[in-house]
Amino acid sequence: MSWKRLFSKSLAPGRLHFAAHSHHLWPDASFAGQVEAWEDAARLADGKWDRVMGEVWLEAQAHAAAELKLPDPSTIVFAPNTHALLIRIASAIERRPVRILAGEGEFHSFRRQASRWEEAGLATVTRADDPAGAEGVFDLIWVSQVRFGDGGVLGSIDALARLARPEGPLVVVDGYHAFMAVSTDLSTVADRIFYVAGGYKYAMAGEGVAFAHCPPGCAQRPVVTGWYAEFDDLSLPPGAVGYAKDARRLLGATFDPSGLYRFNAVRRMLDGEGLTTMAISEHVARLQRRALELLEKTPIGAMALLNPLGDRAHARFLAFRSSHAPTIHAALAARGVVTDVRGDVLRIGFGLYHDAADVDRLAAIAGDLGG
């Protein structure tokens, strides 16, 4: 089945966009959300913030909580990006240097920041293929649910959650490549772990709408903070620095709310179409199987597949390793096929806007690369 009708504004003629894991194309519903944000600003002026922090915020919290099976939507806080959330969570840890345990292959934002903290003597970082089994004493544990490079999927969130304590270590699962791509149930660990993700990937809402689920009693007074975080804490004496009692304690300052509108509009679209994350994943899995079969006799088929398909949850992209990856990426781009390359790994990503005909075209173009 094809869902291209939902993406009529972003599907460019002649372009095959197989990088949904990098920049997911925006569905038409997101345009409606953007227009709604503009019209609210024009209609309500200064009063728009009552609506943003009221109806719009609450709806977005409810959508994120429903997707993750969270018992309390108020544990969700939004931010412009996951880096802002990383900084605020880490700033709540008093010990210096911060002792950090991370998984291998973390996303750029965490990898760069952690390395810089190490350079500045503000953190020590231990990297492990299996963080849940690593030895040592840590203040912060940060692990991707889907690894950025090779698409490997975290085996057990429960095992990490057992390490979490309000006084530390704080355990953060980075769901940036998993949210709305891998069905996730946090109901049994919501009281122990942080979970961060964003709308730029499979939530199809674009930039500016990252979020964190924050377990109660953890990171209650981040040092990096903005004035929005003091809402509702009106009992303190003048001059005291207060924080909201719920997840808004991680808020910063004034932000662009249009991403929240887009996220809500996309979720309403999916609900109206009866499209759950599992249903979309099944659609993608069919396309991935077809792609692997058709690409077998092309130069891509000669590359090493780092994340083979199987019975367990799978990333929405296929990761192929070869020294020829940059050359193949460039050759595909010259023929109108968008993929991405990181070092010697070529990644081909699939989304709701693909159908079997797209996969057939990809395979035909890839076959010509060997000619």
Side-chain angles (χ1 to χ4, degrees), residues 237-289:
V241 179
Y243 292 83
K245 301 301 182 185
D246 57 21
R248 290 174 299 168
R249 64 189 181 273
L250 288 186
L251 274 173
T254 307
F255 61 96
D256 176 1
S258 61
L260 294 172
Y261 284 84
R262 295 194 302 269
F263 177 58
N264 288 342
V266 170
R267 289 291 300 199
R268 287 186 222 124
M269 175 201 79
L270 294 174
D271 289 344
E273 296 287 339
L275 286 168
T276 62
T277 294
M278 182 172 291
I280 300 172
S281 293
E282 290 171 352
H283 171 74
V284 165
R286 288 191 292 271
L287 297 179
Q288 288 177 328
R289 288 193 293 270

Side-chain angles (χ1 to χ4, degrees), residues 1 17 22-23 37 48 66-67 84 87 117 127 169 210 222 282-283 371:
M1 188 168 183
H17 189 271
S22 180
H23 176 102
K48 79 173 187 181
E67 176 68 26
I87 296 300
W117 278 335
R127 297 167 180 85
E282 290 171 352
H283 171 74

Side-chain angles (χ1 to χ4, degrees), residues 93-258:
I93 299 170
E94 295 184 2
R95 188 186 184 280
R96 294 291 184 274
V98 179
R99 299 164 297 186
I100 300 174
L101 171 64
E104 298 284 0
E106 298 300 327
F107 190 57
H108 285 326
S109 184
F110 176 84
R111 176 195 56 77
R112 175 180 169 82
Q113 186 63 72
S115 295
R116 185 65 185 96
W117 278 335
E118 282 187 289
E119 285 184 351
L122 298 175
T124 59
V125 184
T126 301
R127 297 167 180 85
D129 187 55
D130 177 20
E135 296 183 358
V137 179
F138 304 100
D139 305 302
L140 175 65
I141 300 175
W142 187 284
V143 182
S144 288
Q145 189 178 2
V146 173
R147 287 197 297 266
F148 171 68
D150 62 12
V153 180
L154 182 64
S156 174
I157 292 178
D158 289 353
L160 284 171
R162 285 193 287 270
L163 304 177
R165 300 288 185 275
E167 68 278 8
L170 303 180
V171 173
V172 184
V173 174
D174 186 343
Y176 203 61
H177 283 277
F179 181 65
M180 292 179 60
V182 175
S183 296
T184 302
D185 186 342
L186 300 182
S187 59
T188 62
V189 297
D191 60 334
R192 285 167 283 165
I193 70 160
F194 290 83
Y195 186 95
V196 299
Y200 193 67
K201 307 297 181 181
Y202 305 104
M204 299 178 273
E207 305 89 344
V209 61
F211 72 87
H213 156 68
C214 309
C218 300
Q220 295 185 83
R221 292 181 58 82
V223 173
V224 177
T225 187
W227 71 281
Y228 270 48
E230 67 184 4
F231 284 164
D232 298 341
D233 198 352
L234 304 178
S235 61
L236 294 173
V241 179
Y243 292 83
K245 301 301 182 185
D246 57 21
R248 290 174 299 168
R249 64 189 181 273
L250 288 186
L251 274 173
T254 307
F255 61 96
D256 176 1
S258 61

